[in-house]
Amino acid sequence: MRVAIVGAGFTGLTSALRLSQAGESVSLFEASDAPGGLASGLSRPGWEWPVERFYHHIFTNDAAIIRLAHEVSWPPLFFHPETSVYFEDRIYPFDSVLDLLRFPHLSLASKVRMGATLGFLKALPFWKPLERFTADRFLRFTMGSAGYTTIWEPLLIGKFGPFAPSVNAAWFWARVFKRTARLGYFRRGFQGLADQIVDSITKRGGRVLTNHPVENVSVSKKGFVVRSASREQLFDRVLFTTSTSLFLRLFPALPDRYRSGLQQLASVDALVLLLVLRKPFMEGVYWLNVLSRSLPFLVLIEHTNMIDSKYYGGNHLLYLGTYLPATDPLLHRSPSFLRHLAIRQLLAIRNDFDPSNITSCFVFRGPQAQPVVPVSYSSILPTISTPIPNLYLGNMNLVYPWDRGTNYAVELGEKLARVILHP
Ligand SMILES: Cc1cc2nc3c(=O)[nH]c(=O)nc-3n(C[C@H](O)[C@H](O)[C@H](O)COP(=O)(O)OP(=O)(O)OC[C@H]3O[C@@H](n4cnc5c(N)ncnc54)[C@H](O)[C@@H]3O)c2cc1C
């Protein structure tokens, strides 16, 4: 069977590996110059390891990606970095029950309610009934207004913008249920793991074609004709792991009912700045949630407070990230404007920050990087099989109730391969 897979993120890489292990003839088309998709890395002269364009780690219970990493001899390394929140001009540790109890801006009653809600969600083994409620309604009711509006509402709004009021409580459950204090990372980052998977695919005869954007796919009696890099090739099965919108664009003849189902799916874009610094910015803090709506970036992640700066030529790496609807003008501002905005935010957090400490600033945009899951999302959840026989779709819109992530990309990639092998 000749299988074309479109997109060499972790979903496409995993499907390609499993299908080539099963002896199928696999061609993996990737538009960019490297595999890894949203988790791919940026390399710089003098750095031993690349670093992700978009900050990445795994949890200790991300079983699918951990198993795959061991299988390709690239096991994860685990750390216990610090998570904090920035609230009213100060940074507070926010990693444990003790940190919650010490947080000075909530009453004891609010802290107890918040702790009880988070503990309940962590222990709850099922999620389905929660999808009938919005996270906003559920959390306001369980935690009380003070706890919710101080901590969680700003984070929900920062992540989903105008969609925040519609996000369902099952999504929130998944975030709490899966989170672990220890975090995993890979030697040479996620790029290191992606490269290792590519090696395993090519050893089994699979083809990984970078710089090969798929421009067109036509359906003929003999199969699918895939056009990429001015060449046309024939396949028996085609699997799309790219955005749903690209899939819809390439298949205008899909039935209206199916199209309109997919068109209902909403998402937000990611905007991330990666600053290369001479000196650290935050003392010991890896992840900082910014609970202030007047500051444009929702999170700061000091990567080198988890991974030794020696891998990056002694530089310190700081991400500033946020999510925005595709129409937000901030997504289209120039790198120099965004750098200026980042400096303003860093000065608001630490007024002794010296901007000359920044040696480079990279801007990354991830269109449709974060799916939005409204109430009763299971009723509109897309399926892997499509109305066109032998054409499959698998992207982060399908991993519900889990939030997008490389672990779910691996799980989905394995599921896609199973569906293709045993329709
Ligand atoms: C800011 C941010 C932070 C994140 N943090 C984490 C984290 O800490 N941990 C974690 O596990 N996950 C994290 N994620 C999520 C994770 O990156 C994704 O869920 C996962 O990488 C999705 O993999 P994928 O293969 O489904 O899609 P993608 O990675 O989006 O891959 C799709 C691929 O398709 C390619 N493509 C597009 N068009 C074409 C075309 N026409 N022809 C050929 N190829 C094409 C793209 O170049 C891309 O390589 C984060 C994401 C973002 C945006």
Side-chain angles (χ1 to χ4, degrees):
M1 179 162 59
R2 295 160 300 180
V3 187
I5 301 174
V6 187
F10 274 84
T11 306
L13 285 169
T14 308
S15 299
L17 177 64
R18 296 300 178 226
L19 289 165
S20 52
Q21 283 170 332
E24 306 300 343
S25 160
V26 174
S27 299
L28 177 55
F29 292 89
E30 169 54 47
S32 74
D33 58 2
L38 286 170
S40 63
L42 167 84
S43 300
R44 305 295 301 156
W47 291 9
E48 243 178 89
W49 288 9
V51 74
E52 293 65 40
R53 294 172 163 79
F54 301 96
Y55 42 90
H56 272 71
H57 54 242
I58 55 167
F59 296 129
T60 52
N61 54 17
D62 280 342
I65 194 167
I66 293 174
R67 200 174 45 241
L68 175 63
H70 279 282
E71 184 186 323
V72 297
S73 310
W74 210 254
L77 315 163
F78 286 99
F79 305 88
H80 194 150
E82 200 177 307
T83 297
S84 295
V85 294
Y86 177 74
F87 184 80
E88 291 187 354
D89 304 334
R90 277 201 58 191
I91 292 178
Y92 300 95
F94 213 79
D95 227 358
S96 65
V97 178
L98 207 61
D99 291 341
L100 173 61
L101 286 172
R102 284 188 187 137
F103 184 68
H105 297 278
L106 288 172
S107 68
L108 182 62
S110 293
K111 292 176 193 174
V112 169
R113 281 181 78 173
M114 188 185 296
T117 304
L118 297 176
F120 168 72
L121 292 174
K122 188 98 195 142
L124 191 71
F126 50 83
W127 55 271
K128 199 77 202 287
L130 293 174
E131 74 157 2
R132 285 189 285 134
F133 307 98
T134 63
D136 183 274
R137 187 170 159 218
F138 177 80
L139 296 176
R140 242 177 241 283
F141 177 74
T142 52
M143 287 183 180
S145 189
Y148 175 62
T149 54
T150 305
I151 307 282
W152 302 102
E153 190 183 37
L155 296 180
L156 265 178
I157 293 176
K159 182 124 180 168
F160 293 105
F163 299 104
S166 66
V167 171
N168 78 37
W171 177 86
F172 191 81
W173 167 85
R175 295 289 298 198
V176 174
F177 188 75
K178 275 304 303 281
R179 190 182 181 281
T180 58
R182 284 172 68 227
L183 302 178
Y185 194 70
F186 300 97
R187 213 155 24 100
R188 295 185 50 76
F190 284 68
Q191 187 65 63
L193 177 60
D195 292 343
Q196 200 69 6
I197 300 171
V198 166
D199 256 20
S200 299
I201 296 167
T202 48
K203 272 187 196 133
R204 284 165 182 83
R207 295 191 307 159
V208 181
L209 305 160
T210 49
N211 295 313
H212 271 69
V214 167
E215 294 138 15
N216 187 48
V217 181
S218 53
V219 190
S220 78
K221 276 196 196 124
K222 288 187 183 157
F224 296 90
V225 180
V226 173
R227 198 179 71 219
S228 173
S230 317
R231 267 191 71 201
E232 294 197 333
Q233 296 170 67
L234 191 64
F235 293 93
D236 307 305
R237 309 270 190 277
V238 176
L239 160 53
F240 264 82
T241 71
T242 63
S243 66
T244 302
S245 59
L246 175 69
F247 174 73
L248 287 173
R249 225 177 19 254
L250 290 185
F251 292 94
L254 284 162
D256 284 349
R257 197 144 169 253
Y258 177 75
R259 287 187 80 76
S260 56
L262 292 185
Q263 278 161 349
Q264 283 180 58
L265 306 173
S267 55
V268 284
D269 293 11
L271 175 65
V272 169
L273 268 63
L274 171 61
L275 303 186
V276 182
L277 306 175
R278 288 196 183 89
K279 291 190 212 143
F281 178 70
M282 295 183 280
E283 259 150 50
V285 178
Y286 166 67
W287 187 284
L288 183 71
N289 285 315
V290 179
L291 306 178
S292 159
R293 281 202 237 150
S294 59
L295 297 175
F297 294 98
L298 170 70
V299 283
L300 266 62
I301 295 111
E302 193 150 345
H303 179 75
T304 37
N305 282 343
M306 181 167 82
I307 305 300
D308 201 316
S309 61
K310 71 179 181 191
Y311 297 116
Y312 313 101
N315 291 294
H316 297 267
L317 304 182
L318 177 69
Y319 294 99
L320 293 95
T322 196
Y323 292 87
L324 298 162
T327 50
D328 195 299
L330 196 55
L331 280 167
H332 311 287
R333 299 305 298 251
S334 67
S336 64
F337 178 91
L338 293 169
R339 177 188 166 120
H340 184 67
L341 208 60
I343 291 174
R344 279 210 339 236
Q345 177 152 345
L346 297 183
L347 282 166
I349 294 173
R350 273 192 66 168
N351 58 15
D352 62 344
F353 175 69
D354 176 3
S356 69
N357 193 2
I358 304 173
T359 60
S360 324
C361 170
F362 300 92
V363 176
F364 303 111
R365 298 177 181 87
Q368 299 159 51
Q370 173 68 50
V372 176
V373 289
V375 165
S376 301
Y377 184 77
S378 9
S379 63
I380 57 166
L381 183 67
T383 54
I384 286 174
S385 299
T386 72
I388 301 179
N390 302 324
L391 173 67
Y392 302 92
L393 174 67
N395 61 30
M396 290 300 104
N397 290 126
L398 280 83
V399 300
Y400 183 70
W402 311 114
D403 193 27
R404 87 286 179 279
T406 49
N407 181 59
Y408 307 107
V410 170
E411 264 183 16
L412 179 65
E414 293 183 336
K415 192 166 165 195
L416 286 157
R418 281 196 301 275
V419 169
I420 292 175
L421 292 169
H422 314 287

